[in-house]
Amino acid sequence: MEYLRSVLAERGIAVFVRNPTNTGLAAGELTPAVSPPELWAMAEEDYAAAERLVKTTLEEMRPISTDPWVCPKCGEHLEPQFEVCWKCGHPRDM
Ligand SMILES: [Zn+2]
């Protein structure tokens, strides 16, 4: 979460983290905190850019699927880097 915040800050997008202390297990607790931390853009006009940046950053952080996929809704053929169908917006089934 801190990493994401710094990535956004580098792009000049001010964000704050809600529930920053809930990133893991507190001492003695066996279950994660109820509310996960959330990133909030300070300025509403930054929201779309921030959301896009967080998404690409998260995608870079995990192994990339290399298989093209076919949208189950509209049948569009999509490149592996897309998480949603660009044609109809249907999310990729993982
Ligand atoms: Zn589609």
Side-chain angles (χ1 to χ4, degrees), residues 71 73-76 85 87-90:
C71 175
K73 192 176 171 190
C74 73
E76 185 67 37
C85 174
K87 196 172 182 184
C88 73
H90 193 84

Side-chain angles (χ1 to χ4, degrees), residues 69-83:
W69 55 289
V70 176
C71 175
K73 192 176 171 190
C74 73
E76 185 67 37
H77 288 256
L78 295 140
E79 295 299 311
Q81 69 266 29
F82 293 114
E83 290 299 317

Side-chain angles (χ1 to χ4, degrees), residues 42-74:
M42 297 280 196
E44 194 164 350
E45 61 265 30
D46 284 340
Y47 179 79
E51 188 182 42
R52 210 161 42 233
L53 202 51
V54 165
K55 205 162 172 254
T56 45
T57 304
L58 290 176
E59 275 163 14
E60 282 166 12
M61 285 164 70
R62 71 165 177 231
I64 303 158
S65 157
T66 52
D67 296 328
W69 55 289
V70 176
C71 175
K73 192 176 171 190
C74 73

